[in-house]
Amino acid sequence: MERKTHIVLAAGNTVVLKPAEDACLSVLRLAELAVSHGLPVGALNVVPGLGSEAGAALAAHPDIDHLSFTGSPETGTHVAQAAAQHHVPVTLELGGKSPQLVFADADLDAALPAVVRGIIQNAGQTCSAGSRLLVQREIADSVVANLCERFATLRCDAGEADADCGPLISARQKAKLEARLVAAEADGIRVAAKGKLAPGARSGGHFVLPQLLTDIPEGHEVLQEELFGPVLVVQVFEDEAEALALANATDFGLCAGIWTHDGGRQLRLAKGIRSGQVFINNYGAAGGVELPFGGVGRSGHGREKGFEGLRSYTRIKTVAIKH
């Protein structure tokens, strides 16, 4: 949300910012700091509240010139419909089910730590989380074994403890994710490895242990839907064509990671994968401030950051003068 705010202000606009009801305190503090450091009063306006109340009222307001939303595809549909009522542009960043593709010629010493970081960062509660691992069959057993060892060492604790993985945002989100995991296990999906609570971690916290899932039926929900937690699902592919088909086998398209030394393969896959960002032999989860960020399909449309993001919050006017 903050990355949208600064680019909107940089383009010369005022901002009305409605933070998520579960995470509003940091945004309120950001506004306080901005005003205390000289931002004109009224340039940045924060309106906390429920999405169904404050968010819906703002989206439907006729004086809004551009709507920008980060959240679920379902809510994004309502925001887009509200924007259509007043014929204003809308930027939607709606999450992802981003794959990391690991080929037999990959540098595994670089790839595997990035694969783990890509799913445990912020306890998997990032739109660009690398939540799917696609690995070539000839190295699949060794890669999964290596990841099992890594996941077994992961520890969950509160944020101030600086553990590997923190809690989920709320009890509601924890219960929702745990219900999905119970259903997945009932469907025969195997939990190949799981992290642990750190010694002394607070009991009753909203922790879901980082886990690695394998033996997943084709088309299963855990391969298709954004779980929004520290859960990595594994699929095995034979060759480049199957890797591309699996990478594109969801309705989301936000980020992708490709791990291979084959330059031709890098470019073919970068072109063929349907996603807004592609990382080759790295995975940066949105990258630098100069890199446009956004998705396709259920991941939304429009771009944040970079010049593309800046242009989203400006208007082109043509003036033709005859001398």
Side-chain angles (χ1 to χ4, degrees), residues 25-286:
L25 296 181
S26 60
V27 178
L28 289 166
R29 180 58 178 151
L30 174 69
E32 290 177 351
L33 290 171
V35 171
S36 69
H37 285 73
L39 187 72
V41 174
L44 173 59
N45 310 273
V46 180
V47 181
L50 298 176
S52 59
E53 297 174 356
L58 286 171
H61 200 285
D63 290 336
I64 299 296
D65 295 320
H66 186 114
L67 280 168
S68 182
F69 172 74
T70 299
S72 71
E74 293 74 21
T75 304
T77 299
H78 295 305
V79 172
Q81 290 170 340
Q85 293 297 317
H86 300 292
H87 307 287
V88 298
V90 59
T91 300
L92 298 176
E93 199 270 89
L94 306 179
K97 193 67 176 175
S98 300
Q100 295 213 54
L101 289 64
V102 179
F103 286 82
D105 67 337
D107 178 355
L108 297 182
D109 290 336
L112 298 189
V115 167
V116 175
R117 285 196 305 272
I119 191 59
I120 65 170
Q121 181 187 30
N122 204 36
Q125 300 167 112
T126 61
C127 50
S128 52
S131 55
R132 291 189 293 148
L133 172 63
L134 313 182
V135 59
Q136 197 159 23
R137 185 171 300 280
E138 59 196 89
I139 59 167
D141 289 344
S142 61
V143 164
V144 170
N146 187 304
L147 287 174
C148 284
E149 294 177 2
R150 293 173 185 269
F151 269 71
T153 67
L154 297 175
R155 297 293 181 268
C156 288
D157 206 339
E160 62 269 19
D162 195 25
D164 301 300
C165 191
L168 298 190
I169 187 68
S170 65
R172 180 180 61 182
Q173 175 61 17
K174 176 185 177 183
K176 180 179 177 181
L177 178 53
E178 287 180 335
R180 285 181 154 185
L181 294 173
V182 168
E185 196 165 358
D187 289 338
I189 294 173
R190 185 169 74 93
V191 180
K194 187 182 291 189
K196 295 181 175 62
L197 281 178
R202 186 178 303 171
S203 61
H206 304 150
F207 299 110
V208 171
L209 301 178
Q211 47 201 279
L212 185 70
L213 305 185
T214 61
D215 301 336
I216 306 170
E218 183 178 349
H220 194 278
E221 179 190 54
V222 299
L223 298 173
Q224 299 292 322
E225 295 298 322
E226 186 176 40
L227 300 179
F228 222 59
V231 180
L232 180 62
V233 298
V234 180
Q235 291 178 281
V236 177
F237 63 84
E238 297 287 349
D239 54 23
E240 183 180 321
E242 187 179 12
L244 179 61
L246 291 175
N248 288 335
T250 78
D251 294 330
F252 290 99
L254 191 58
C255 296
I258 301 167
W259 298 87
T260 178
H261 286 305
D262 186 322
R265 178 187 291 149
Q266 293 169 359
L267 296 180
R268 288 190 298 271
L269 288 171
K271 181 179 180 180
I273 292 175
R274 295 193 301 270
S275 68
Q277 288 194 323
V278 176
F279 298 91
I280 297 174
N281 293 330
N282 72 108
Y283 194 79

